[in-house]
Amino acid sequence: MSPFRASAALTGSWEHFEFTVDDGVGTVTFNRPDKLNALTFEVYADLRDLIAELPHRGDVRVLVLTGSGRGFCSGGDVEEIIGELQQMETAQLLEFTRMTGAVVKALRETPIPVIAAVNGIAAGAGSVLALASDFRLLAESAKFAFLFTKVGLAGADMGSAYLLPRLVGLGRATELLMLGDKLDATRAEAIGLATRVIPDAELHGEATALARRLADGPALAYSTTKVLLTRELDSDLGGAIELEAITQALLMTARDHKEFYAAWSAGRAPQWTGR
């Protein structure tokens, strides 16, 4: 556990999704399979708070997001969220939309790599959760659908209009966010939205293998790479080069870099500690 945390206890269990930790790999499994893992107010809040806690736990070096049953996440529950939103005033609605955006902000800003193992449909907010992850492993049956305009709302939601053009380009992002049509796994891979497309039966194993590689590797190098990728999206070249120079100089003092050289000199594999 990190020594740099507040006096309040970390959360012991999470009620609105399954969360497990196995040797450095944390896994969030959305577990409302009868609703294709549709999100509720409580799921959003728990996910936001869990991701904020992860860097302080000390036992999670990589996070996997996935869904139980036939879907990854079908977005906000029509009955439990959209119906309730009709009764809210502007201030409450803004509180809700800021909460959903805070989940995406937390996913991008946590120094922990995040893998979305997309089994089945990722729609609406579910598609943005996958978009905000660092790796998107798609089952062959997976589909994306940025559905916001289909319900009469802006296609730009939860940071999607910021993230998606940077991943697939402005033209394709305009198509996906404005029209809201389904996108199958094959096309998602072709336009750069998928890291890899995997046979359905092999998705869990491939996600586990990637998570294991990240958890067992030089975790400090991985985390700083993610931080720099995020920070440099809006940086000029000079600022980016200076930030990378400072970071590399710091990492040259880290145990993992020294371990690499010791292992190389001894002709053995490095024993990474993430320090």
Side-chain angles (χ1 to χ4, degrees):
M1 184 180 297
S2 169
F4 307 114
R5 50 175 301 274
S7 58
L10 295 171
T11 308
S13 62
W14 299 89
E15 182 178 346
H16 301 290
F17 44 69
E18 295 177 12
F19 177 65
T20 60
V21 179
D22 179 15
D23 193 19
V25 178
T27 302
V28 167
T29 304
F30 302 118
N31 57 356
R32 303 181 73 214
D34 55 318
K35 295 286 188 75
L36 291 176
N37 301 313
L39 301 170
T40 64
F41 294 118
E42 294 81 9
V43 174
Y44 276 119
D46 275 7
L47 192 57
R48 173 200 60 196
D49 294 349
L50 168 64
I51 297 167
E53 286 191 2
L54 286 180
H56 307 291
R57 290 177 55 99
D59 60 348
V60 175
R61 296 188 293 277
V62 57
L63 178 66
V64 178
L65 303 180
T66 194
S68 59
R70 298 179 297 111
F72 174 74
C73 176
S74 59
D77 189 298
V78 175
E79 294 177 341
E80 296 199 28
I81 286 188
I82 298 180
E84 288 294 319
L85 294 178
Q86 309 304 307
Q87 313 304 318
M88 293 184 184
E89 296 183 351
T90 304
Q92 289 178 294
L93 293 170
L94 182 56
E95 186 177 3
F96 166 69
T97 54
R98 282 176 171 163
M99 176 177 70
T100 64
V103 175
V104 171
K105 187 171 184 286
L107 284 169
R108 293 309 314 143
E109 294 192 348
T110 183
I112 294 170
V114 180
I115 301 167
V118 182
N119 54 310
I121 188 68
S127 62
V128 185
L129 293 179
L131 174 64
S133 300
D134 301 296
F135 301 90
R136 284 160 296 283
L137 303 184
L138 272 58
E140 289 179 340
S141 63
K143 290 181 173 60
F144 279 97
F146 296 88
L147 292 174
F148 305 109
T149 60
K150 299 279 190 180
V151 298
L153 297 174
D157 191 33
M158 297 172 61
S160 59
Y162 178 91
L163 295 172
L164 193 58
R166 287 165 168 77
L167 198 62
V168 303
L170 178 60
R172 291 190 176 99
T174 300
E175 173 194 350
L176 296 175
L177 296 181
M178 196 171 293
L179 299 180
D181 293 337
K182 284 185 179 178
L183 178 75
D184 64 24
T186 300
R187 185 163 185 245
E189 184 176 36
I191 67 174
L193 186 53
T195 305
R196 200 181 325 146
V197 175
I198 299 159
D200 287 35
E202 299 174 20
L203 177 65
H204 175 73
E206 290 289 330
T208 299
L210 177 57
R212 185 78 271 137
R213 176 180 176 181
L214 291 166
D216 292 344
L220 185 59
Y222 292 151
S223 67
T224 52
T225 300
K226 173 175 179 173
V227 169
L228 291 180
L229 283 166
T230 300
R231 292 291 172 234
E232 292 180 32
L233 284 173
D234 301 307
S235 175
D236 61 29
L237 179 60
I241 289 175
E242 179 65 10
L243 183 58
E244 292 181 9
I246 293 170
T247 302
Q248 289 294 59
L250 288 172
L251 287 184
M252 287 172 186
T253 70
R255 294 182 190 174
D256 274 351
H257 184 62
K258 296 181 187 305
E259 166 60 12
F260 158 76
Y261 186 72
W264 179 83
S265 299
R268 59 173 175 82
Q271 300 296 310
W272 307 113
T273 62
R275 303 288 183 181

